[in-house]
PDB file of all heavy atoms in Angstrom:
ATOM      1  N   THR V 270     -21.046   6.548  22.583  1.00 95.00           N
ATOM      2  CA  THR V 270     -19.936   6.359  21.654  1.00 95.00           C
ATOM      3  C   THR V 270     -18.605   6.814  22.233  1.00 95.00           C
ATOM      4  O   THR V 270     -17.563   6.212  21.979  1.00 95.00           O
ATOM      5  CB  THR V 270     -20.232   7.130  20.348  1.00 95.00           C
ATOM      6  OG1 THR V 270     -21.494   6.697  19.849  1.00 95.00           O
ATOM      7  CG2 THR V 270     -19.162   6.885  19.298  1.00 95.00           C
ATOM      8  N   PHE V 271     -18.646   7.884  23.020  1.00 96.00           N
ATOM      9  CA  PHE V 271     -17.399   8.476  23.508  1.00 96.00           C
ATOM     10  C   PHE V 271     -17.146   8.124  24.982  1.00 96.00           C
ATOM     11  O   PHE V 271     -16.406   8.807  25.683  1.00 96.00           O
ATOM     12  CB  PHE V 271     -17.437   9.998  23.313  1.00 96.00           C
ATOM     13  CG  PHE V 271     -17.659  10.383  21.874  1.00 96.00           C
ATOM     14  CD1 PHE V 271     -18.924  10.708  21.404  1.00 96.00           C
ATOM     15  CD2 PHE V 271     -16.594  10.397  20.981  1.00 96.00           C
ATOM     16  CE1 PHE V 271     -19.130  11.043  20.068  1.00 96.00           C
ATOM     17  CE2 PHE V 271     -16.787  10.735  19.647  1.00 96.00           C
ATOM     18  CZ  PHE V 271     -18.057  11.054  19.185  1.00 96.00           C
ATOM     19  N   ALA V 272     -17.786   7.046  25.441  1.00 94.00           N
ATOM     20  CA  ALA V 272     -17.738   6.711  26.866  1.00 94.00           C
ATOM     21  C   ALA V 272     -16.321   6.456  27.368  1.00 94.00           C
ATOM     22  O   ALA V 272     -16.010   6.732  28.519  1.00 94.00           O
ATOM     23  CB  ALA V 272     -18.626   5.503  27.135  1.00 94.00           C
ATOM     24  N   ASN V 273     -15.448   5.921  26.525  1.00 91.00           N
ATOM     25  CA  ASN V 273     -14.110   5.566  27.012  1.00 91.00           C
ATOM     26  C   ASN V 273     -13.029   6.523  26.530  1.00 91.00           C
ATOM     27  O   ASN V 273     -11.864   6.155  26.417  1.00 91.00           O
ATOM     28  CB  ASN V 273     -13.771   4.143  26.579  1.00 91.00           C
ATOM     29  CG  ASN V 273     -14.766   3.159  27.155  1.00 91.00           C
ATOM     30  OD1 ASN V 273     -15.095   3.239  28.338  1.00 91.00           O
ATOM     31  ND2 ASN V 273     -15.281   2.278  26.322  1.00 91.00           N
ATOM     32  N   ILE V 274     -13.450   7.755  26.240  1.00 94.00           N
ATOM     33  CA  ILE V 274     -12.526   8.713  25.643  1.00 94.00           C
ATOM     34  C   ILE V 274     -12.343   9.903  26.574  1.00 94.00           C
ATOM     35  O   ILE V 274     -13.291  10.304  27.255  1.00 94.00           O
ATOM     36  CB  ILE V 274     -13.076   9.125  24.264  1.00 94.00           C
ATOM     37  CG1 ILE V 274     -12.862   7.955  23.326  1.00 94.00           C
ATOM     38  CG2 ILE V 274     -12.428  10.379  23.736  1.00 94.00           C
ATOM     39  CD1 ILE V 274     -13.460   8.119  22.006  1.00 94.00           C
ATOM     40  N   HIS V 275     -11.142  10.419  26.635  1.00 94.00           N
ATOM     41  CA  HIS V 275     -10.881  11.481  27.610  1.00 94.00           C
ATOM     42  C   HIS V 275     -10.290  12.745  27.011  1.00 94.00           C
ATOM     43  O   HIS V 275     -10.143  13.734  27.702  1.00 94.00           O
ATOM     44  CB  HIS V 275      -9.963  10.940  28.706  1.00 94.00           C
ATOM     45  CG  HIS V 275     -10.507   9.716  29.354  1.00 94.00           C
ATOM     46  ND1 HIS V 275     -11.613   9.744  30.167  1.00 94.00           N
ATOM     47  CD2 HIS V 275     -10.137   8.424  29.259  1.00 94.00           C
ATOM     48  CE1 HIS V 275     -11.901   8.519  30.562  1.00 94.00           C
ATOM     49  NE2 HIS V 275     -11.008   7.690  30.020  1.00 94.00           N
ATOM     50  N   MET V 276      -9.924  12.719  25.738  1.00 97.00           N
ATOM     51  CA  MET V 276      -9.229  13.880  25.162  1.00 97.00           C
ATOM     52  C   MET V 276     -10.200  15.043  24.930  1.00 97.00           C
ATOM     53  O   MET V 276     -11.388  14.810  24.686  1.00 97.00           O
ATOM     54  CB  MET V 276      -8.572  13.483  23.845  1.00 97.00           C
ATOM     55  CG  MET V 276      -9.576  13.323  22.740  1.00 97.00           C
ATOM     56  SD  MET V 276      -9.162  12.063  21.532  1.00 97.00           S
ATOM     57  CE  MET V 276      -9.150  10.558  22.378  1.00 97.00           C
ATOM     58  N   PRO V 277      -9.715  16.284  25.018  1.00 98.00           N
ATOM     59  CA  PRO V 277     -10.566  17.444  24.731  1.00 98.00           C
ATOM     60  C   PRO V 277     -10.926  17.541  23.246  1.00 98.00           C
ATOM     61  O   PRO V 277     -10.150  17.127  22.380  1.00 98.00           O
ATOM     62  CB  PRO V 277      -9.690  18.636  25.119  1.00 98.00           C
ATOM     63  CG  PRO V 277      -8.562  18.093  25.882  1.00 98.00           C
ATOM     64  CD  PRO V 277      -8.378  16.682  25.454  1.00 98.00           C
ATOM     65  N   PHE V 278     -12.116  18.068  23.006  1.00 98.00           N
ATOM     66  CA  PHE V 278     -12.611  18.255  21.640  1.00 98.00           C
ATOM     67  C   PHE V 278     -12.912  19.729  21.402  1.00 98.00           C
ATOM     68  O   PHE V 278     -13.392  20.411  22.298  1.00 98.00           O
ATOM     69  CB  PHE V 278     -13.931  17.501  21.434  1.00 98.00           C
ATOM     70  CG  PHE V 278     -13.781  16.057  21.067  1.00 98.00           C
ATOM     71  CD1 PHE V 278     -13.203  15.155  21.945  1.00 98.00           C
ATOM     72  CD2 PHE V 278     -14.245  15.585  19.842  1.00 98.00           C
ATOM     73  CE1 PHE V 278     -13.091  13.807  21.612  1.00 98.00           C
ATOM     74  CE2 PHE V 278     -14.134  14.252  19.505  1.00 98.00           C
ATOM     75  CZ  PHE V 278     -13.557  13.359  20.389  1.00 98.00           C
ATOM     76  N   MET V 279     -12.656  20.170  20.188  1.00 98.00           N
ATOM     77  CA  MET V 279     -13.234  21.439  19.751  1.00 98.00           C
ATOM     78  C   MET V 279     -14.078  21.141  18.511  1.00 98.00           C
ATOM     79  O   MET V 279     -13.584  20.578  17.536  1.00 98.00           O
ATOM     80  CB  MET V 279     -12.172  22.482  19.436  1.00 98.00           C
ATOM     81  CG  MET V 279     -12.801  23.819  19.007  1.00 98.00           C
ATOM     82  SD  MET V 279     -11.711  25.240  19.207  1.00 98.00           S
ATOM     83  CE  MET V 279     -10.588  24.957  17.846  1.00 98.00           C
TER      84      MET V 279
END
Side-chain angles (χ1 to χ4, degrees):
Chain V
T270 305
F271 302 97
N273 299 315
I274 287 174
H275 305 290
M276 74 213 63
F278 275 64
M279 181 158 74

